[in-house]
């Protein structure tokens, strides 16, 4: 099974501050994804990437940027964190048959 | 937009040993689908993944779907207390395998 790790596992940020969430995968998967999970909304796709140095917008990209500096690493960047971005963030990578594997999640609280 | 409806819609309580059937209905024809398990605050663990036409089995779990129906089911046999948690279904509907998630069903298995 694909190994996907995330850091930090939890973070408290102040409104207006910059937050960077990191994701690392070790199985040479081409596709990587960032989702957020909120009570009542399930999981929603923020950004994804299918190759290094390229990112694509998902369903809810506003307020987020993404960076894919290498095949293994995919970051989610909140330039100006807001209260509404308090959520749990999950990174995932895609295997050969479109099956996705998820990291442990990062719990972000914006105060 | 694309939607996924899960049933039971919110929660299900079973006595240990009972069987359960969780269902997902989709707003479009099935492509591939994936079932996940999540403990509170935990990562999404992939239970079963299958193309739309294939039944998948894994221990006490069976997923089934039909390529001509917008519906899939997850069967849990002989439920155990450790099966308690949230079950989410998701389907992939595009060339980049974007997953669209249901809201999840919270399962509680009691003695």
């Amino acid at each position: 099974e694909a190994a996907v790790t995330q850091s930090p596992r939890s973070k408290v940020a102040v409104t207006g501050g910059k937050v960077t969430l990191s994701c690392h995968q070790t199985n040479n998967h081409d596709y990587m994804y960032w989702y957020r999970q909120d009570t009542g909304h399930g999981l929603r796709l923020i950004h994804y990437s299918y190759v290094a140095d390229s990112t694509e917008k998902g369903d809810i990209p506003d307020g987020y940027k993404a960076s894919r500096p290498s095949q293994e690493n995919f970051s989610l960047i909140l330039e100006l964190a807001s209260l509404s971005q308090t959520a749990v963030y999950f990174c995932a990578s895609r295997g050969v048959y479109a099956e996705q594997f998820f990291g442990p999640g990062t719990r972000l609280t914006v105060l | 937009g694309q939607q996924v409806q899960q049933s039971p819609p919110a929660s299900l309580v079973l006595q240990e040993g009972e069987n359960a059937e969780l269902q997902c209905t989709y707003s479009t024809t099935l492509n591939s689908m994936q079932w996940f398990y999540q403990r509170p605050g935990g990562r999404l663990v992939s239970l079963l993944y299958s193309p739309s036409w294939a039944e998948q089995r894994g221990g006490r779990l069976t997923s089934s779907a039909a390529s001509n129906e917008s519906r899939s089911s997850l069967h849990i046999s002989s439920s155990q207390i450790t099966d308690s948690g949230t079950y989410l279904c998701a389907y992939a509907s595009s060339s980049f395998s974007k997953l669209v998630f249901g809201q999840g069903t919270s399962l509680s298995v009691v003695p």
Side-chain angles (χ1 to χ4, degrees):
Chain A
E1 186 170 324
V4 181
T5 57
Q6 294 181 230
S7 63
R9 293 296 313 279
S10 66
K11 184 171 181 64
V12 178
V14 296
T15 304
K18 182 177 181 178
V19 177
T20 300
L21 307 182
S22 299
C23 179
H24 180 78
Q25 55 103 358
T26 59
N27 276 31
N28 288 324
H29 288 171
D30 289 330
Y31 281 82
M32 296 186 74
Y33 305 83
W34 276 106
Y35 296 88
R36 66 177 280 173
Q37 185 176 36
D38 303 270
T39 303
H41 286 280
L43 276 90
R44 294 177 290 174
L45 180 64
I46 306 171
H47 285 288
Y48 68 99
S49 169
Y50 55 85
V51 68
D53 296 321
S54 178
T55 63
E56 304 292 334
K57 294 180 179 179
D59 295 324
I60 53 164
D62 293 346
Y64 302 94
K65 293 183 179 179
S67 173
R68 182 92 182 268
S70 64
Q71 186 184 38
E72 298 79 18
N73 296 295
F74 191 34
S75 297
L76 185 68
I77 303 153
L78 290 66
E79 296 278 3
L80 295 170
S82 66
L83 295 174
S84 64
Q85 293 176 313
T86 293
V88 180
Y89 291 85
F90 287 98
C91 175
S93 70
R94 172 191 158 187
V96 174
Y97 299 105
E99 182 178 6
Q100 292 195 17
F101 299 94
F102 281 73
T106 296
R107 183 173 297 276
L108 175 65
T109 303
V110 182
L111 301 176
Chain B
Q2 299 162 327
Q3 291 189 351
V4 180
Q5 299 295 327
Q6 285 193 234
S7 62
S11 62
L12 175 65
V13 180
L14 295 178
Q15 282 204 313
E16 192 174 11
E18 289 184 325
N19 300 329
E21 178 175 324
L22 310 179
Q23 288 196 351
C24 275
T25 56
Y26 305 84
S27 62
T28 186
T29 305
L30 222 52
N31 182 358
S32 63
M33 48 75 66
Q34 195 167 354
W35 283 93
F36 295 91
Y37 168 77
Q38 186 181 32
R39 289 196 179 275
R43 78 166 65 202
L44 278 75
V45 176
S46 180
L47 294 174
L48 293 168
Y49 166 79
S50 69
S52 60
W53 59 89
E55 181 181 273
Q56 295 292 320
R57 291 179 179 270
R60 296 180 292 106
L61 303 177
T62 304
S63 72
S64 59
S67 60
N68 60 345
E69 297 181 9
S70 298
R71 179 169 55 87
S72 67
S73 299
L74 177 69
H75 303 267
I76 305 173
S77 63
S78 304
S79 61
Q80 301 176 359
I81 293 173
T82 53
D83 292 335
S84 298
T86 299
Y87 292 80
L88 299 102
C89 65
Y91 80 96
S93 64
S94 71
S95 61
F96 58 87
S97 297
K98 166 185 167 180
L99 285 182
V100 179
F101 282 84
Q103 299 296 317
T105 295
S106 177
L107 175 65
S108 296
V109 182
V110 298

